[in-house]
Structure formats: structure tokens, C-alpha cells
Amino acid sequence: MPLDQVIIAYMRSNNWINVLLLRSINLYQPVLVESSSVSELIEVSPNGISWHEQNVEYRIMVNEYFNIGTKTNGGEVPYSLVEMQGNHVSFGLVLRRIRHRVLDELTIDVEEGQLPLRIPPHMPCSLHCSNCANEIIGPRQYDRIQEVPMTTMKPHQFFCSRTGIPVYPSEEELYYGLNYLVVCPELVGNGIITTRGRRRVQCSRCKQCVGEIIARDVGVQLYADTLRFVTSDSALELKEIFGHVTPTQVMMRLMNDAETYCVDQSRLFLKAVRPDGQLQLLHMQVDTKQMHILRSDLGVSDDVKPSADLPLEADTSSESDLDMNLSDTSSSNSVPQTGIDEMATPPRPTTPKGSPPKAVQYVRMRGFRGWRVKYLFSGNDRDLIENHDVIVTWRERTRLLHISYTMMTDLLGEFNANENLLASLEKMSPPVKTDSPRHSCIIFEPDEEFYARQERFARTSQ
């Protein structure tokens, strides 16, 4: 089966990489037909990895980032466990040299972008309860619409700063952040009621919680997912306040509100309400040590050339050739799931006379940043009961943040997908439904790449 994607994980404090070769379009679907190839071979050189399969050789180039160790000081081949799960191959490699500066330069940096607020400035609009359409704030226009500064995403830190003068929103001002709006207290009237010592704001008709009071009536923080807005030119259409926010942008913004409890470790406690009223809670422990993910989407391209026209010794980097000579190469045949006890050096496969020439495809890796995540999700009443002790403990130590159901769904989608990826990379047991926290990661990617990936996945799933 052809190679579809290569993923390499590197933790900044380590001197090795984990490599995963994906050989099916969907990693998470069961493999129905095992590979029939008998000429599969992995070769490792200081500046890359070569995967041979039938008449195709994939050369995975990493010399821009690393030099791979192929021999110990004693001249022995470094031990590396190779595993196959279905048709996917994973193994680890020791690094001889790490080019940290180049790795940082070639790793994609994703910045916090503008939140897609849909409320237009200088146009009258009203805010309504998303559950019953009760009017929360009557028609009015906002002459100044401003995002809460990214460095102080918590509304309390901006509007009730301990080191500065409190900010009091005027009736013409609208402030916003991730899944919330902040308005002047005088704007809300009969459409809301307050409970819990006038701190919690509820819809006066259906009693849905729509926000909270900031400090001593400095402002009213309204949850955007519990509201809809209506403009004067579309009085019959209830519109969502924000457009879609990608999991990367959600996670980056949430980390501004995270509680740091030790070096490189932060906590987030998230709450969402499903459209049917079901409460959902997500506990997250985030490891913020630098994690680099090298990823490459393979496909039929101009990089595929017959080996007769592209000799193995062709120059592929500014520092060294991809030297696959057996005198400086560690090689291993494909092995069963139990791994191998030693790495052999079999002779290089040759192309039988009269068969098509072997094609060579170069694989260039792209760098992404990420964080490892340990999470526990309570998605229904049974989960909430089973995780009651954890919830009580976290309520005492970590501030509960309200996000939208869509944001919660997107985050869980990324975590559920990436936990399979992480398990394969780090040779952990496949993830299963459990009451214990699960291990995953978040990979930061630009919005356009996220949507392109979703579109490709939708096409291949049809």
C-alpha cells in the first residue's frame, strides 16, 4: 500500500525523534486487507530515512533539522523498536545533532487572529436569548466595538485591573473576547434576572444562564453562544454572534486564561452546554514544553522520478548527500507488531531485469508547533456523577471558563484524532473509552490549512 503521510515528533528536551509512516488514507479505520508486499525495507542515514516498497522508494529528508545517529561510538547500530499497526509503521531514532535555530525558523508560527465578530458597527441591532428569543438588549448601535486585549483575555483583569484604573464600558461601547461580550450594565433590562447575589445573569423567560456581572457592576459579561443578534434590515433572522473559530485559535486564546501550577504545566477547566441543555465539562492539563511536529502530505507529484534519471548520490541538501551506503546505514525489514530484538543489515533490494524502473519520491517535511494534553471529558450526567470528586477538586483550584458547544466539539475532535496519532508515535496502547484521563496533543496550524484538511477528509470519507 502506498505511503500517504509521514509524521515525526520531537520534544525540545530530548535527543531522539519518533517517526510514523501512515500507509492508509484514514489512520482510524480498521485495515481490511494486509499489505502483500514482500520487498518493504527501512534504511536510515545521517540525513534521512528511506522507505522501499515494491517499485517505489520514498526518501524522507530531515537533514535541514537533524543529523540522525546511525552508529554508536563502539560502531554498533543503535537499537530501535519498529512496530506495525495494521499497515502503519512506527519507530524511533537517536539524533546525533539538532539544529535548533533552523528548526525554529522552519517551524510555522501561528499568531492569534481576529475573532470573527458578526455584529456590525454603527448599525442598530438587538440581542436575544438563543433558547427562547427573549430580548436581552433592545435595538441600539455601538459606535465603538473593541476586542479585549489579548494579553489580558480575562475580562476581570481588563475591566478591574489591580494596577490601573477600572474600565467602565459606556452605552455606546461593546467589548468582546472568546465566546463573550461585555456591555454597560444599564443596557440590560427586563429581559434578564440576576441570581447568586446578583452575580449570575439569566434570561427572564426560560432561565437560561446568559452571563455574569463583572465586579461591582463594572460591566456585564454575556456568553456569546447563549445569544443571537438581529439587525434592523433582517428583523426576522436570528444570527450567531461569532463565526467559526478553529481549534488552534480556541486553544491559543484559552491558554491566556490557564492556571499555571508548576513549570511547563497549566490547567484549563472548560464548560459548555449542549443545545438540549446537557452540561459538559472538560478538564485539561497542558504540557507547554516545546513540541515540534514534522508533517508532510504525500501525493502524486513532480517529485516522483525514475531512479535511472535520479541517482542515489544526487545532492539533496546544503550539508551532505543522502548516503545510503551500507557501511554507514542501519536497516531493518518490516516486522510484526511485537517489534524486533536486533536490527539486521540485509542486502539492498534490486530491480529484477525487465521490470519497471524504481521510482524515487522525495518527502520534504514541514514543521508545526504543538502541546501535549492530558484531558478528562464529562459529556453526560453519568460522566458528571462518575467524575464528581475530580470536578469538586478542580472547582476549588481552577476557574471555570464557559465556551460554546461548537468549540467544545472541535477541541474534542482534535484530541480524539491526535490521541491515536500520539499513541502510534510513542508506542502507547491504542486509546479506549476509559474513566481515566487520556493523552493527546494539539498541533497549531493556520486557519486555511485547517479548513483545507477538513475538506480533504470530507472528500476521502465520501
Side-chain angles (χ1 to χ4, degrees):
M1 180 175 290
L3 194 63
D4 287 322
Q5 192 179 40
V6 180
I7 298 175
I8 298 175
Y10 166 67
M11 294 295 293
R12 191 73 172 205
S13 58
N14 300 334
N15 66 337
W16 71 83
I17 55 176
N18 293 313
V19 182
L20 177 62
L21 308 180
L22 303 186
R23 303 175 62 215
S24 67
I25 294 177
N26 191 344
L27 173 63
Y28 318 115
Q29 293 295 326
V31 177
L32 301 181
V33 181
E34 294 295 331
S35 173
S36 60
S37 174
V38 296
S39 60
E40 299 168 349
L41 179 71
I42 298 174
E43 292 187 277
V44 180
S45 77
N47 63 343
I49 307 158
S50 181
W51 168 260
H52 303 261
E53 183 172 1
Q54 296 181 345
N55 289 319
V56 180
E57 177 186 348
Y58 298 92
R59 297 182 182 177
I60 303 161
M61 309 303 300
V62 297
N63 57 291
E64 292 178 306
Y65 311 99
F66 316 111
N67 277 128
I68 301 172
T70 57
K71 289 185 179 181
T72 65
N73 293 333
E76 299 177 354
V77 176
Y79 175 82
S80 178
L81 180 65
V82 181
E83 289 186 350
M84 288 195 69
Q85 296 182 5
N87 278 314
H88 313 305
V89 183
S90 64
F91 52 94
L93 295 173
V94 175
L95 300 178
R96 186 176 62 190
R97 181 184 178 189
I98 305 166
R99 297 176 175 86
H100 290 293
R101 181 181 59 82
V102 177
L103 182 62
D104 288 333
E105 290 176 352
L106 297 181
T107 298
I108 295 175
D109 284 316
V110 180
E111 303 292 336
E112 290 185 11
Q114 285 283 331
L115 290 172
L117 182 71
R118 291 175 170 172
I119 295 178
H122 311 298
M123 177 181 289
C125 68
S126 56
L127 298 179
H128 299 256
C129 173
S130 62
N131 190 39
C132 66
N134 184 33
E135 186 177 87
I136 304 298
I137 297 179
R140 65 175 304 101
Q141 71 178 37
Y142 301 95
D143 297 328
R144 183 186 182 191
I145 299 178
Q146 177 182 337
E147 183 175 358
V148 174
M150 294 181 182
T151 55
T152 57
M153 291 301 294
K154 296 178 183 178
H156 290 76
Q157 291 183 355
F158 178 64
F159 293 97
C160 308
S161 174
R162 296 180 180 178
T163 59
I165 301 174
V167 177
Y168 290 84
S170 68
E171 295 185 10
E172 290 76 30
E173 293 178 323
L174 175 68
Y175 293 87
Y176 65 95
L178 183 65
N179 196 47
Y180 67 81
L181 308 174
V182 177
V183 297
C184 175
E186 281 71 26
L187 295 185
V188 294
N190 296 331
I192 63 102
I193 57 175
T194 58
T195 61
R196 296 185 181 178
R198 295 196 68 252
R199 300 267 61 83
R200 187 176 183 181
V201 178
Q202 292 181 331
C203 171
S204 60
R205 180 183 296 170
C206 68
K207 304 302 185 292
Q208 176 184 212
C209 181
V210 297
E212 58 186 276
I213 304 293
I214 299 177
R216 298 182 178 179
D217 294 335
V218 170
V220 179
Q221 177 186 359
L222 299 172
Y223 306 137
D225 64 312
T226 66
L227 303 173
R228 297 293 183 268
F229 78 96
V230 174
T231 56
S232 57
D233 60 344
S234 59
L236 299 179
E237 182 181 1
L238 293 172
K239 303 177 182 178
E240 292 190 358
I241 293 175
F242 286 106
H244 183 263
V245 184
T246 64
T248 292
Q249 290 292 326
V250 170
M251 193 67 184
M252 292 178 67
R253 289 172 177 274
L254 285 173
M255 286 301 292
N256 290 312
D257 290 343
E259 305 286 345
T260 302
Y261 70 97
C262 67
V263 178
D264 297 325
Q265 298 287 333
S266 298
R267 283 181 174 177
L268 284 167
F269 190 13
L270 307 180
K271 167 189 174 182
V273 180
R274 211 164 57 189
D276 62 1
Q278 172 66 60
L279 174 65
Q280 296 183 335
L281 298 177
L282 177 63
H283 305 77
M284 294 172 52
Q285 183 172 307
V286 184
D287 186 344
T288 56
K289 289 195 295 291
Q290 291 196 47
M291 181 182 185
H292 293 270
I293 299 290
L294 306 183
R295 187 172 65 188
S296 178
D297 292 320
L298 300 178
V300 179
S301 67
D302 296 334
D303 293 335
V304 180
K305 302 178 182 179
S307 58
D309 298 333
L310 185 60
L312 197 61
E313 297 78 27
D315 186 17
T316 59
S317 74
S318 60
E319 301 198 15
S320 61
D321 296 338
L322 181 62
D323 184 7
M324 293 300 179
N325 294 328
L326 297 181
S327 61
D328 190 30
T329 301
S330 61
S331 307
S332 69
N333 286 320
S334 295
V335 296
Q337 296 183 7
T338 56
I340 59 175
D341 293 329
E342 59 180 358
M343 301 187 73
T345 308
R348 187 180 184 85
T350 58
T351 304
K353 189 174 182 179
S355 62
K358 181 185 290 291
V360 175
Q361 179 165 346
Y362 282 89
V363 181
R364 298 293 180 180
M365 309 301 294
R366 301 178 61 218
F368 298 85
R369 303 186 193 277
W371 290 328
R372 296 181 91 261
V373 178
K374 185 178 179 180
Y375 72 101
L376 178 66
F377 176 62
S378 303
N380 52 51
D381 290 339
R382 180 179 178 182
D383 293 340
L384 293 170
I385 294 173
E386 291 178 349
N387 300 328
H388 174 74
D389 293 342
V390 178
I391 294 171
V392 172
T393 302
W394 277 57
R395 280 187 182 274
E396 297 174 352
R397 303 177 182 177
T398 310
R399 181 168 174 258
L400 186 62
L401 303 175
H402 185 111
I403 63 173
S404 71
Y405 173 68
T406 300
M407 293 176 184
M408 181 74 82
T409 301
D410 285 347
L411 281 178
L412 287 172
E414 289 293 294
F415 294 159
N416 291 340
N418 290 341
E419 68 179 349
N420 289 273
L421 187 66
L422 194 68
S424 297
L425 280 167
E426 300 185 358
K427 298 181 178 64
M428 298 186 295
S429 300
V432 295
K433 175 64 176 177
T434 176
D435 297 332
S436 302
R438 303 165 73 166
H439 296 267
S440 186
C441 64
I442 180 78
I443 302 174
F444 299 121
E445 57 185 351
D447 288 3
E448 58 272 15
E449 295 201 17
F450 170 81
Y451 291 118
R453 180 165 57 88
Q454 295 295 309
E455 183 178 350
R456 287 197 303 271
F457 181 77
R459 288 201 303 267
T460 57
S461 300
Q462 292 177 352

